[in-house]
Amino acid sequence: MRDDAPVVVAARRTWIGTAGHGHRDVRAVDLAAVVLGAALDDARALGVAAEVDDVVLGNCTGPGGNLARVAALTAAGLGTGVPGLTVDRQCGSGLAAVLLAGQQVRTGEAGMVFAGGVESASTAPRRAHRTPDGDVPYDRAPFAPAAIGDPDMGPAADALARAYGVPRERQDAYAVRSHTRALAAHAAGRFDAETVPVPRDPSGTGSAHGSPLRRDERARRLDPAVVARLPAAFSPDGTVTAATASPVSDGAAVLAIVPERTRAALGLPGLRLVAGATRGVDPRLPGWGPVPAVRTVLAAAGQDVGQLDAIELVEAFAAQVLTVTDALGLDPLGVPDDDARLCTDGGALALGHPWGASGAVSVVRLFSRLVRAGAPAGTLGLAAAAVGGGMGVAGLFEVVR
């Protein structure tokens, strides 16, 4: 193994709040700063003395500017000499940030980088187009040129389900699976070591309300009979419902990445980044994006899906998850036993989907499932996300001890 291979040695996230609720008054920079500070404390407690060379954070709907730099300046323990880079690859932003940080470490540019993502849909600014007749509000930036096709994500998920034959019943069953697993993980305390609570008033401005979240807010018991009666959420003839679409959410996740030589010298367990890839697909069917990205990283590493021990796929929509798993030969709804490697403790459908952070949350989950749980060296984990505009991002990781 090369001594400059990038390795994740610490991984933290916030509890995820539903937009307008648990973290409703907490700015993106404050969510990021809290989790940055926790990851830094973890790295220092493990004996990592290297200077922090950069902070790379994914974000989609923040205030603009360089949010990562502001978060680095806000976080306790990081000085003015630590720069920042903000990445926008939509729902793949957090994972893209991890891949970029891995490249910095692999090339020798950095001895330690903190990477991840953050989203505060609750506090995101409202934007407008300037026209001769005044400002005209718009809901979102374009994902693709209108001439090619630029659907919203909900209708795109409906189109994907039609194109690849994913019926309503399977989508409903997968949503129930995600919530059931998330509730079981909460009850067993499997998220406790990876999470950090957000203080009531992280910025000291007196603006935040309510108590800190002590769980991921969205997860709940879903009655299959009730789920089956829900109307289509996005298209009159669609199959995606409020239960099978992830909620708009607030949250942050950060990982500490160092070279293999640093990890080995300290004798730390970690997740080595083996390979990463981003691939483009038809913007009209963006949910297909993870398929070529996953195939690319597996081919680069000389592995196949059967050799993976843990898989975290951002659950933007049940239809998207099932389309991807069908293409990759996975069976998360198998009878009598499903493929438990996929989102073992639930995913974004149940935990929430803070867009810029979700890809990094997936890597935090891999770290807990494999490194914190004591998986042996050589165990493989995969993280992947679909991206608006027709892209997929994937990263392959290996346990090192």
Side-chain angles (χ1 to χ4, degrees):
M1 183 188 309
R2 292 177 49 166
D3 66 0
D4 58 358
V7 183
V8 177
V9 294
R12 289 292 197 113
R13 68 176 180 94
T14 65
W15 296 111
I16 299 172
T18 301
H21 294 275
H23 296 318
R24 64 185 179 276
D25 288 331
V26 185
R27 301 176 305 162
V29 68
D30 294 316
L31 288 170
V34 167
V35 78
L36 264 173
L40 176 64
D41 289 346
D42 287 350
R44 296 301 187 222
L46 292 168
V48 181
E51 293 184 3
V52 181
D53 291 305
D54 209 351
V55 171
V56 185
L57 296 178
N59 180 254
C60 300
T61 64
N66 189 348
L67 189 151
R69 169 63 171 168
V70 181
L73 291 169
T74 304
L78 293 176
T80 58
V82 179
L85 171 65
T86 304
V87 177
D88 182 358
R89 210 187 281 275
Q90 293 297 302
C91 295
S93 298
L95 183 52
V98 172
L99 300 185
L100 285 171
Q103 291 171 10
Q104 288 181 303
V105 170
R106 184 179 286 112
T107 61
E109 290 182 24
M112 180 160 64
V113 180
F114 285 89
V118 60
E119 205 69 59
S120 174
S122 294
T123 67
R126 294 176 179 171
R127 295 180 168 88
H129 293 287
R130 294 179 180 177
T131 74
D133 298 321
D135 291 347
V136 178
Y138 71 101
D139 293 330
R140 64 166 175 85
F143 299 141
I148 296 176
D150 185 27
D152 285 336
M153 294 299 96
D158 278 327
L160 189 75
R162 285 192 294 271
Y164 288 95
V166 180
R168 164 74 183 263
E169 294 75 19
R170 291 185 69 207
Q171 296 175 50
D172 289 350
Y174 188 83
V176 171
R177 175 196 193 270
S178 185
H179 281 264
T180 300
R181 287 176 174 271
L183 289 177
H186 277 110
R190 288 197 291 273
F191 298 135
D192 292 352
E194 71 189 35
T195 50
V196 55
V198 177
R200 176 172 178 170
D201 184 15
S203 63
T205 63
S207 62
H209 302 293
S211 300
L213 289 179
R214 299 293 178 182
R215 68 187 297 276
D216 297 301
E217 195 169 15
R218 171 74 167 185
R220 65 196 65 188
R221 190 187 74 82
L222 291 186
D223 183 337
V226 173
V227 171
R229 293 197 296 268
L230 292 175
F234 302 104
S235 310
D237 60 345
T239 54
V240 178
T241 70
T244 59
S246 59
V248 179
S249 306
D250 307 324
V254 169
L255 305 105
I257 303 176
V258 301
E260 165 60 18
R261 60 180 173 273
T262 299
R263 182 212 66 82
L266 294 169
L268 302 175
L271 273 184
R272 177 173 72 95
L273 175 57
V274 178
T278 303
R279 292 292 180 267
V281 297
D282 187 339
R284 294 166 295 185
L285 296 174
W288 182 256
V291 176
V294 169
R295 288 172 175 167
T296 298
V297 297
L298 291 176
Q303 307 287 346
D304 59 46
V305 171
Q307 293 166 297
L308 299 174
D309 295 278
I311 303 166
E312 290 290 331
L313 178 62
V314 175
E315 294 176 350
F317 299 91
Q320 168 242 317
V321 174
L322 293 169
T323 298
V324 171
T325 55
D326 286 351
L328 296 177
L330 302 169
D331 190 3
L333 294 175
V335 177
D337 297 315
D338 67 18
D339 193 329
R341 297 176 298 167
L342 178 71
C343 297
T344 299
D345 297 320
L349 287 169
L351 302 178
H353 184 11
W355 304 305
S358 292
V361 170
S362 294
V363 186
V364 173
R365 293 270 52 248
L366 287 180
F367 192 88
S368 287
R369 290 176 58 187
L370 300 177
V371 177
R372 287 190 173 102
T379 302
L380 294 175
L382 175 80
V387 181
M391 291 180 286
V393 185
L396 180 65
F397 298 85
E398 179 187 26
V399 175
V400 287
R401 296 194 179 275

